[in-house]
Amino acid sequence: MSRGHVIRLHAAWDPPPAAGLPWRRSFGRPGGLAAAAGVWLVLERPAACRLELNGTPLPAVAAGRRWEADVTHLLRERNELTAIFAAEP
């Protein structure tokens, strides 16, 4: 079954200015999509974190386990994904 367009954000994350603050990644709405196409955000081997897309919380991310979410309804022309990692003990 096809899931539509998959977004993979491997690089260009903006590191936080201090520990404990979110990492940020900006990206544009994928071009050339059919009107009914879905858009999925995929993390192949993530660290445990909380994610937000344009200020909306996304499902929890478990360390080392492939994660994916349908973000079609959250996309804007310009988007910001933030990752908030747990503090190191």
Side-chain angles (χ1 to χ4, degrees), residues 5-88:
H5 190 87
V6 175
I7 298 174
R8 288 186 173 87
L9 304 173
H10 297 289
W13 283 84
D14 296 326
L21 297 176
W23 285 69
R24 300 183 184 286
R25 174 64 161 85
S26 297
F27 62 97
R29 182 177 183 84
L33 296 175
V39 178
W40 287 76
L41 183 63
V42 175
L43 302 174
E44 295 290 341
R45 291 178 298 277
C49 65
R50 291 179 310 156
L51 291 177
E52 293 182 359
L53 179 58
N54 299 324
T56 300
L58 297 174
V61 177
R65 299 187 65 182
R66 180 184 166 94
W67 176 93
E68 54 187 42
D70 181 352
V71 296
T72 308
H73 64 288
L74 297 174
L75 288 180
R76 301 175 184 160
E77 285 303 310
R78 293 298 308 157
N79 301 279
E80 183 174 75
L81 180 65
T82 58
I84 302 132
F85 298 93
E88 297 279 330

